[in-house]
């Protein structure tokens, strides 16, 4: 399963023989990469899974995008290049905003929404937004973000590794992501979404708290909300077994 690039998006295409249903598209959050999804989900048995690095992130070429719609457009370009008509879109944090945007603006392409640690509106704390605009404060902002990204059981070493990865992003990419999140507001538009949705949130998520997940659950079609005790904003890698099982069950319901 090697790296490919289409429409500025880097992707790893896990395509087991006899894979059934619509492919699962894994979309990471602000400053993230495909590694913010657990291996168990990126290599889900019996399903085609496309795990991406968004433009400007990880192994994808620069530049990044500056809006949620821009990232959604890049993903549509990738799906077009691969000849994939419809996907179940899993989005974490900013990736959830991108998934919602796809479901609203390209409904024919979205067979389902698996929304993890995200919300219909993603205002960013001014200290994070402003700090991320200053390259001299990259390490400090990365440490702050990492400190708020995990539940209490994540080790100091794992938090530090996360902070280093965020601090190593090319200048401007993290700030552009946060600005894209801050400008995103789909609260009044969720009613137009027809794709069935499943919502996942860590009980200790301080960046997109369970209140945001409850709002999505109330207003989107489908059923199911997984509240993971002890997990924070990085719930998918903090609790990979629970989140992978929920995704597999959701896929079996919406795209058998
Ligand atoms: N779903 C449901 N409710 C939401 C929501 C969402 N996605 N986004 C905001 N709201 C609610 C808030 O809880 C608040 O409700 P309240 O008035 O009952 O307390 C109201 O809408 C207004 O919230 P908001 O627009 O966020 O403005 P604010 O001035 O209260 O707070 C921040 C601004 C930035 C301090 C706050 O949004 C925050 O702490 N955000 C999380 C931290 C962060 O930076 N996250 C990064 C996400 S990538």
């Amino acid at each position: 399963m090697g790296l490919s690039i289409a429409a500025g998006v880097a992707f790893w295409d896990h395509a087991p023989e006899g894979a059934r249903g619509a492919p699962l598209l894994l979309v990471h959050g602000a400053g993230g990469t495909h590694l913010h999804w657990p291996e168990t989900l990126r290599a889900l048995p019996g399903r085609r899974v496309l795990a991406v690095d968004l433009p400007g992130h990880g192994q994808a070429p620069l530049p990044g995008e500056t809006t949620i719609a821009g990232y959604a457009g890049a993903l549509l370009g990738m799906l077009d290049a691969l000849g994939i008509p419809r996907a179940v879109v899993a989005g974490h944090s900013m990736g959830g905003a991108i998934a919602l945007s796809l479901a609203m603006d390209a409904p024919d392409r979205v067979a389902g929404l698996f929304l993890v640690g995200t919300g219909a509106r993603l205002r960013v704390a001014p200290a994070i937004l402003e700090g991320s605009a200053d390259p001299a404060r990259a390490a400090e902002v990365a440490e702050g973000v990492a400190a708020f990204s995990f539940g209490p059981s994540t080790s100091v070493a794992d938090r530090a590794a996360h902070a280093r990865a965020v601090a190593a992003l090319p200048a401007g990419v993290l700030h552009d992501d946060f600005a894209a999140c801050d400008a995103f507001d789909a609260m009044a538009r969720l009613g137009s979404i027809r794709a069935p949705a499943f919502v996942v949130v860590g009980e200790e998520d301080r960046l997109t708290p369970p209140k945001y997940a409850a709002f999505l659950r109330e207003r989107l079609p489908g059923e199911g909300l997984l509240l993971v005790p002890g997990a924070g904003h990085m719930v998918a890698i903090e609790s990979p077994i629970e989140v992978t099982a929920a995704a597999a069950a959701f896929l079996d319901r919406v795209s058998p």
Side-chain angles (χ1 to χ4, degrees):
M1 183 173 51
L3 163 75
S4 306
I5 293 178
V9 178
F11 62 95
W12 287 259
D13 191 352
H14 164 72
E17 207 169 310
R20 60 188 194 284
L24 175 65
L25 176 61
L26 300 177
V27 188
H28 63 76
T33 73
H34 70 292
L35 297 176
H36 287 181
W37 297 101
E39 165 90 41
T40 45
L41 191 52
R42 287 183 279 122
L44 198 65
R47 295 279 177 180
R48 185 175 183 190
V49 183
L50 294 150
V52 308
D53 284 354
L54 290 168
H57 297 71
Q59 298 188 46
L62 287 166
E65 295 286 342
T66 56
T67 62
I68 298 301
Y71 282 122
L75 290 174
L76 285 178
M78 185 201 81
L79 292 177
D80 288 345
L82 292 172
I84 295 174
R86 269 156 77 80
V88 173
V89 186
H92 172 237
S93 199
M94 179 181 82
I98 298 166
L100 289 170
S101 172
L102 283 169
M104 292 183 294
D105 298 333
D108 296 346
R109 311 299 294 273
V110 178
L113 290 167
F114 189 75
L115 301 168
V116 181
T118 191
R121 183 178 186 196
L122 294 177
R123 290 283 306 282
V124 176
I128 299 179
L129 188 59
E130 287 155 22
S132 67
D134 180 357
R137 292 176 60 194
E140 174 201 333
V141 169
E143 269 169 43
V145 171
F148 277 100
S149 289
F150 296 93
S153 60
T154 297
S155 70
V156 172
D158 284 353
R159 279 167 212 265
H162 186 82
R164 279 196 301 278
V166 174
L169 281 164
V173 170
L174 187 63
H175 176 70
D176 285 351
D177 282 0
F178 283 142
C181 288
D182 197 58
F184 177 74
D185 184 355
M187 286 179 101
R189 291 180 66 204
L190 291 186
S192 69
I193 293 179
R194 293 286 161 263
F198 189 90
V199 182
V200 178
V201 66
E203 201 166 18
E204 310 290 337
D205 190 334
R206 286 182 282 170
L207 293 180
T208 54
K211 177 181 180 179
Y212 292 10
F215 186 90
L216 291 171
R217 183 60 291 148
E218 278 166 21
R219 285 168 177 74
L220 290 174
E223 56 185 66
L225 183 147
L226 175 66
L227 178 71
V228 184
H233 188 58
M234 302 304 292
V235 56
I237 49 174
E238 292 176 81
S239 303
I241 295 169
E242 292 88 335
V243 174
T244 300
F250 178 66
L251 286 166
D252 285 345
R253 288 200 296 280
V254 300
S255 192

